[in-house]
């Protein structure tokens, strides 16, 4: 694990706080009294500047989001639902918080005449300080990433808003002014706060008296967004985007001046329903809610485990990699519930690191309600659920691969490099992981198409005993590697790898279906039954005839190489550098060195193609200096072909130029 941490700088396990609150963030500007406002005693109206990132974000919301404007409603209802979840959670320790008003819920009120929409919840609420921190800054790291991820594509922007935890600010897509009134659960009526902003770089807060706990967010709609004050429109949107959040969302009954409210969503935690009662569309919508993603998932798996251990899981495979997939602090893990009570987001203990792309929910009947992240790390119950969910997730992928190859190809493109880590991290599940792997291959014309190990084994030649692969800087470079010339000529398939983790991953695979893996750039090619008697005879003759040449080259190169020998890999190229079976490759060595881990340089073997015209030309050089210079050139070129940078590029160029000049010069006239 440590080696991987160093190499990839993967997300650290644990360390996320339970609630992604923002209370620790300082507002960017010191609060000041608003001079324009006569400050009543006790109300303490103050104006604050938004954090710079928020200002930038607001600009984006206001000026460039025209499609999918309705996402604001999903985000605000999602916040209201989170607030209810958090209160229910807090009430486990302190029942009094819930006592006066025990039924948690959300209300949406629209006033078409005034052009306003209000989303009200009786959840946890905010204190004045919390309102300043939570609605004035962005806590999560990665905001810069957010802006970088925006490619001017609006659809993508709206997709990213939820993921980056900037949902509240989406109110300004449709509102010219937003008012928030909030009172924290457990605080007295006088501890209410009123927050307001017109997104002009500032917001104001003042203390007010509020009769009940919870939060009300009122949007004063822009002229061109008045459609969102239409109750009919709002109902449709709630059913579409918020049907399966765990709390009822109520609206006034239809009809003029009706004061009665009715529930407009299903308000049942989706995962608790039997599979037969849930439609695909509902599964998709629920995914968008849990994953904060605007796109559809590729697949899902919904299961209930009963018996000694009881839990429900709903796992999704997203269709696109989130921006923070490779970030150490990136959000990952499942939403954890215990007996329907929300406990935490991003519970990463329920899946291994290599399945960190999986989104969804796990609801355990056995864990204690007061479970914390620390406890999760040691709980044997969690360990058991984790191994169950790991198998479910791998099964889900296997099913996707079999039933929907097109979607599986998308999955592999987005998450293959992550799943691959499982080869090194999870030996126990090798049998399930290896069949899921995809590789570029010499059997495919283009670098983007991939094959499975089953495909490879099915195409193996009679007498072939190894699964050959080569790792290079790019798939194109792997395809052109001199080390596989002979294999390609013989029609033997070679897997082509180019991810920076590939050397590390492949180091953990022994065999697939009894066939051992063989890296074509290391040691002996182990051609086994693929070599004919004629090959062997040719090799013996070459060996006898080239002994002197090999020794001369070795003497010329000295300590740069451990050995010079005849190659059985080459066809078109004059020479190739080959590593020992357990040597650390040059790119890997550089990666480790960058991470502060010093590994000695491996001394390669230089293999030469004795039939190559350049080698014959070399053999004919009697002059020792000329011979040495040419040998060095061969060596440098062999390294270059493998992506090893030249130690001294100008010297290489001069050597090459001297050779070219010699070759271009007319033969000296006889004297
Ligand atoms: P996220 O929900 O991902 O944290 P948001 O921008 O949607 O990001 O919300 C910012 C923060 O504001 C929330 O984390 C929460 O602390 C606070 N907040 C927003 N809406 C409410 C609400 N209705 N009740 C209580 N707190 C809220
Ligand atoms: Mg939110």
């Amino acid at each position: 694990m440590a080696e991987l941490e160093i190499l990839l700088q993967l997300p650290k396990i644990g360390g996320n706080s339970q609630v992604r609150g923002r209370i620790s963030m300082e507002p960017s500007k010191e609060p000041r009294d608003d001079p324009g406002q006569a400050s009543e005693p006790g109300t303490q109206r103050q104006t604050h500047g938004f954090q710079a990132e928020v200002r930038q974000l607001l600009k984006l919301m206001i000026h460039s989001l025209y499609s999918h404007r309705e996402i604001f409603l999903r985000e605000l209802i999602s916040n209201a639902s989170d607030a209810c979840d958090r209160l229910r959670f807090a009430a486990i320790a302190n029942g009094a918080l819930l006592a006066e008003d025990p039924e948690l819920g959300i209300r949406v009120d629209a006033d078409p005449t005034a052009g306003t929409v209000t989303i009200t919840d009786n959840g946890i609420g905010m204190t004045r300080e919390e309102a300043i921190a939570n609605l004035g800054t962005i806590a999560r790291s990665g905001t810069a990433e957010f802006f970088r991820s925006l490619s001017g594509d609006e659809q993508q922007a709206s997709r990213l808003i939820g993921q980056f935890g900037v949902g509240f600010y989406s109110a300004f897509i449709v509102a010219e002014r937003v008012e928030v009134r909030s009172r924290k659960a457990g605080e007295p009526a006088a501890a209410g706060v009123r927050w307001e902003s017109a997104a002009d770089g500032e917001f104001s807060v003042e203390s007010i008296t509020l009769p009940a706990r919870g939060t009300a967010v009122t949007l004063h709609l822009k002229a061109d967004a008045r459609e969102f004050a239409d109750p009919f429109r709002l109902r449709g949107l709630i059913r579409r985007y918020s049907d399966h959040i765990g709390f009822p969302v109520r609206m006034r009954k239809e009809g003029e001046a009706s004061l009665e409210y009715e529930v407009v969503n299903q308000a049942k935690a989706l995962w608790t329903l039997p599979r037969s009662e849930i439609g695909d569309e509902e599964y998709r919508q629920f995914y968008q809610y849990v994953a904060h993603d605007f796109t559809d998932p590729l697949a899902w798996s919904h299961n209930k485990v009963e018996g000694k251990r009881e839990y429900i899981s709903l796992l999704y495979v997203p269709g696109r990699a989130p921006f923070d997939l490779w970030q150490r602090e990136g959000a990952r893990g499942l939403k954890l519930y215990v007996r329907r009570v929300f406990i935490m987001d991003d519970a990463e203990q329920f899946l291994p690191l290599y399945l960190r792309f999986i989104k969804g929910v796990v609801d355990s009947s056995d864990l204690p309600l007061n479970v914390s992240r620390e406890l999760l790390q040691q709980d044997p119950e969690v360990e058991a659920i984790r191994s169950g969910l790991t198998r479910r997730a791998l099964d889900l992928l296997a099913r996707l691969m079999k039933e929907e190859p097109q979607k599986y190809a998308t999955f592999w493109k987005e998450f293959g490099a992550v799943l691959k880590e499982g080869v090194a991290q999870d030996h126990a599940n090798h049998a399930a992981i290896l069949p899921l792997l995809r590789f570029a291959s010499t059997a495919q014309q283009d670098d983007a198409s991939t094959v499975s190990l089953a495909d490879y084994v099915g195409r193996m030649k009679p007498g072939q005993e190894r699964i050959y692969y080569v790792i290079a800087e790019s798939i194109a470079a792997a395809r052109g590697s001199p080390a596989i010339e002979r294999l390609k000529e013989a029609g033997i398939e070679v897997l082509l790898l180019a991810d920076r983790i590939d050397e590390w991953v492949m180091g953990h695979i022994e065999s697939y279906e009894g066939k051992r893996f063989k890296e074509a750039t290391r040691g002996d090619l182990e051609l086994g039954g693929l070599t004919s008697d004629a090959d062997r005879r040719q090799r013996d003759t070459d060996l006898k005839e080239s002994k002197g040449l090999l020794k001369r080259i070795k003497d010329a190169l000295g300590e740069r190489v451990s050995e010079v020998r005849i190659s059985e890999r080459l066809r078109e190229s004059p020479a190739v550098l080959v590593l020992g079976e357990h040597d650390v490759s040059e790119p890997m060595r550089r990666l480790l060195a960058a991470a502060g881990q010093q590994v000695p340089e491996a001394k390669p073997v230089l293999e030469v193609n004795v039939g190559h015209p350049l080698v014959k030309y070399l053999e004919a050089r009697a002059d020792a200096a000329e011979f040495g210079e040419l040998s060095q050139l061969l060596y440098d070129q062999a390294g270059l072909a493998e992506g090893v940078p030249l130690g001294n590029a100008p010297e290489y160029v001069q050597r090459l130029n001297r050779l070219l000049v010699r070759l271009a010069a007319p033969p000296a006239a006889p004297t």
Side-chain angles (χ1 to χ4, degrees):
M1 213 29 252
E3 47 178 337
L4 177 70
E5 282 264 335
I6 296 171
L7 281 179
L8 307 178
Q9 309 188 337
L10 282 172
K12 196 168 59 195
I13 304 175
N16 285 350
S17 63
Q18 174 151 316
V19 177
R20 294 194 232 119
R22 303 168 176 204
I23 189 65
S24 61
M25 298 296 291
E26 290 293 321
S28 60
K29 241 202 244 172
E30 280 302 306
R32 60 180 163 80
D33 285 323
D34 188 343
Q37 188 85 14
S39 170
E40 284 172 45
T43 65
Q44 303 164 0
R45 188 182 151 102
Q46 290 175 328
T47 308
H48 296 259
F50 282 114
Q51 187 192 26
E53 284 91 334
V54 176
R55 250 180 259 182
Q56 200 182 350
L57 185 69
L58 287 173
K59 229 182 249 158
L60 173 89
M61 300 285 182
I62 296 165
H63 299 297
S64 38
L65 281 175
Y66 299 107
S67 61
H68 294 301
R69 296 202 300 176
E70 71 277 9
I71 61 155
F72 79 90
L73 189 65
R74 174 191 67 173
E75 293 300 328
L76 296 179
I77 291 180
S78 152
N79 284 352
S81 162
D82 289 350
C84 292
D85 269 335
R86 284 161 62 184
L87 177 56
R88 194 159 62 180
F89 181 74
I92 297 168
N94 178 6
L97 290 179
L98 208 50
E100 69 203 50
D101 181 12
E103 209 218 315
L104 292 164
I106 299 159
R107 248 172 34 210
V108 177
D109 291 281
D111 183 340
T113 332
T116 61
V117 186
T118 300
I119 295 98
T120 310
D121 66 73
N122 59 353
I124 190 88
M126 284 176 275
T127 63
R128 181 182 174 124
E129 290 69 34
E130 284 171 335
I132 293 170
N134 296 341
L135 309 181
T137 60
I138 302 171
R140 237 172 281 172
S141 57
T143 324
E145 198 77 20
F146 173 74
F147 289 107
R148 226 174 300 127
S149 317
L150 295 173
S151 51
D153 169 356
E154 286 176 35
Q155 168 134 5
Q156 203 210 4
S158 47
R159 182 178 74 84
L160 289 169
I161 284 169
Q163 269 185 28
F164 278 83
V166 292
F168 172 75
Y169 304 105
S170 68
F172 290 99
I173 299 174
V174 295
E176 56 192 13
R177 190 158 61 84
V178 175
E179 266 179 278
V180 180
R181 290 182 177 76
S182 192
R183 181 180 141 195
K184 180 98 175 184
E187 297 290 327
V193 58
R194 184 172 164 283
W195 178 103
E196 182 177 0
S197 178
D200 47 5
E202 294 184 332
F203 62 91
S204 69
V205 282
E206 65 186 307
S207 299
I208 56 168
T209 299
L210 285 175
R213 68 152 199 263
T215 304
V217 179
T218 300
L219 312 186
H220 298 267
L221 297 169
K222 297 179 190 172
D224 66 357
R226 287 286 182 118
E227 58 185 296
F228 294 110
D230 171 9
F232 184 75
R233 180 84 206 272
L234 288 170
R235 270 165 200 266
L237 291 175
I238 292 168
R239 287 212 195 91
R240 175 127 181 253
Y241 296 119
S242 310
D243 210 21
H244 278 293
I245 64 161
F247 300 94
V249 179
R250 294 186 171 84
M251 285 188 71
R252 287 239 166 95
K253 273 195 176 149
E254 272 156 81
E256 287 287 296
S258 167
L259 288 178
E260 252 181 276
Y261 282 85
E262 62 184 350
V263 177
V264 293
N265 67 336
Q266 295 235 17
K268 257 198 225 154
L270 182 84
W271 66 94
T272 61
L273 303 177
R275 272 194 294 223
S276 56
E277 284 178 23
I278 309 173
D280 286 358
E281 196 42 42
E282 289 174 290
Y283 274 122
R284 282 191 207 108
Q285 278 160 23
F286 188 71
Y287 164 78
Q288 299 192 338
Y289 164 69
V290 282
H292 292 293
D293 188 359
F294 211 72
T295 61
D296 283 337
L298 293 176
W300 56 84
S301 167
H302 182 192
N303 294 284
K304 188 170 188 160
V305 173
E306 281 168 315
K308 184 161 126 315
R309 171 167 297 120
E310 289 190 10
Y311 63 90
I312 302 172
S313 62
L314 175 49
L315 307 181
Y316 288 97
V317 181
R320 287 175 74 159
F323 73 98
D324 55 3
L325 186 64
W326 296 99
Q327 278 173 19
R328 179 172 275 271
E329 302 294 343
R332 60 191 192 83
L334 303 175
K335 243 179 164 29
L336 171 65
Y337 290 77
V338 171
R339 292 183 288 285
R340 320 289 175 267
V341 177
F342 169 78
I343 306 294
M344 66 179 79
D345 278 312
D346 309 329
E348 68 269 12
Q349 293 81 358
F350 290 91
L351 284 170
L353 192 56
Y354 72 92
L355 293 175
R356 62 182 175 275
F357 50 83
I358 299 273
K359 299 279 181 208
V361 169
V362 56
D363 186 340
S364 157
S365 302
D366 309 315
L367 288 170
L369 277 168
N370 61 356
V371 70
S372 66
R373 264 176 214 281
E374 290 65 38
L375 287 175
L376 284 180
Q377 265 156 25
Q378 305 144 14
D379 198 304
E381 178 65 30
V382 174
E383 195 50 48
I385 298 178
R386 175 189 168 110
S387 66
L389 293 183
T390 301
R391 270 196 309 277
R392 291 253 183 249
L394 293 173
D395 283 352
L396 173 60
L397 293 174
R399 207 172 69 214
L400 185 67
M401 176 179 80
K402 200 160 136 244
E403 291 167 9
E404 294 180 271
Q406 213 59 42
K407 284 189 182 169
Y408 192 78
T410 305
F411 160 76
W412 184 259
K413 193 164 111 323
E414 296 291 316
F415 301 110
V418 178
L419 181 68
K420 251 192 233 180
E421 294 167 14
V423 172
Q425 288 170 10
D426 191 357
H427 281 259
N429 280 309
H430 261 199
I433 299 170
L434 297 193
L436 296 173
L437 301 180
R438 284 288 179 281
F439 300 87
S441 158
T442 52
Q444 299 288 330
Q445 292 305 314
D446 68 303
D447 294 349
S449 321
T450 56
V451 305
S452 70
L453 292 175
D455 296 334
Y456 185 102
V457 169
R459 285 192 285 259
M460 280 171 77
K461 295 272 179 234
Q464 184 181 349
E465 286 156 18
R466 300 281 181 259
I467 298 174
Y468 291 101
Y469 68 93
V470 62
I471 305 178
E473 300 271 289
S474 65
I475 299 295
R479 198 183 282 281
S481 167
I484 61 171
E485 286 173 358
R486 161 89 176 268
L487 294 171
K488 278 200 292 197
E489 188 192 69
I492 292 167
E493 184 169 0
V494 180
L495 302 176
L496 309 171
L497 291 86
D499 273 341
R500 60 187 179 149
I501 63 166
D502 279 333
E503 183 170 350
W504 174 75
V505 167
M506 296 308 285
H508 289 81
I509 311 189
E510 273 286 296
S511 59
Y512 175 79
E513 290 191 352
K515 314 285 186 219
R516 299 243 325 271
F517 284 80
K518 176 72 215 174
E519 187 171 0
T521 48
R522 281 178 191 277
D524 187 65
L525 260 194
E526 299 172 17
L527 290 168
L530 293 169
T531 19
S532 65
D533 287 345
D535 289 336
R536 270 187 283 271
R537 275 196 298 278
Q538 177 65 45
R539 198 173 160 75
D540 288 343
T541 338
D542 285 349
L543 268 176
K544 250 178 255 145
E545 288 174 0
S546 312
K547 237 189 182 142
L549 171 66
L550 297 179
K551 179 159 185 328
R552 281 173 77 201
I553 300 176
K554 168 70 178 125
D555 289 345
L557 292 178
E559 290 309 301
R560 273 177 285 247
V561 295
S562 63
E563 190 192 341
V564 178
R565 66 181 181 216
I566 292 178
S567 182
E568 52 174 353
R569 295 164 218 262
L570 298 172
R571 280 298 180 260
E572 292 95 36
S573 303
V576 63
L577 288 174
V578 173
L579 285 180
E581 219 58 76
H582 301 290
D583 287 346
V584 174
S585 77
E586 188 50 30
M588 184 76 156
R589 200 187 63 78
R590 269 179 282 146
L591 215 63
L592 288 168
Q597 210 170 313
Q598 298 306 326
V599 180
E601 268 177 64
K603 223 185 274 176
V605 171
L606 181 74
E607 291 193 349
V608 289
N609 178 358
V610 288
H612 195 280
L614 208 57
V615 177
K616 296 231 177 289
Y617 178 83
L618 173 71
E619 195 171 10
R621 294 312 93 189
D623 179 68
E626 205 185 330
F627 184 92
E629 183 152 290
L630 248 142
S631 301
Q632 176 71 39
L633 204 56
L634 267 192
Y635 168 84
D636 283 341
Q637 285 193 338
L640 273 180
E642 262 157 54
V644 180
L646 290 165
N648 187 339
E651 221 177 67
Y652 168 82
V653 173
Q654 280 165 16
R655 263 198 297 276
L656 184 62
N657 287 347
R658 278 197 292 274
L659 172 70
L660 292 176
V661 167
R662 248 189 333 263
L663 294 177
T671 40

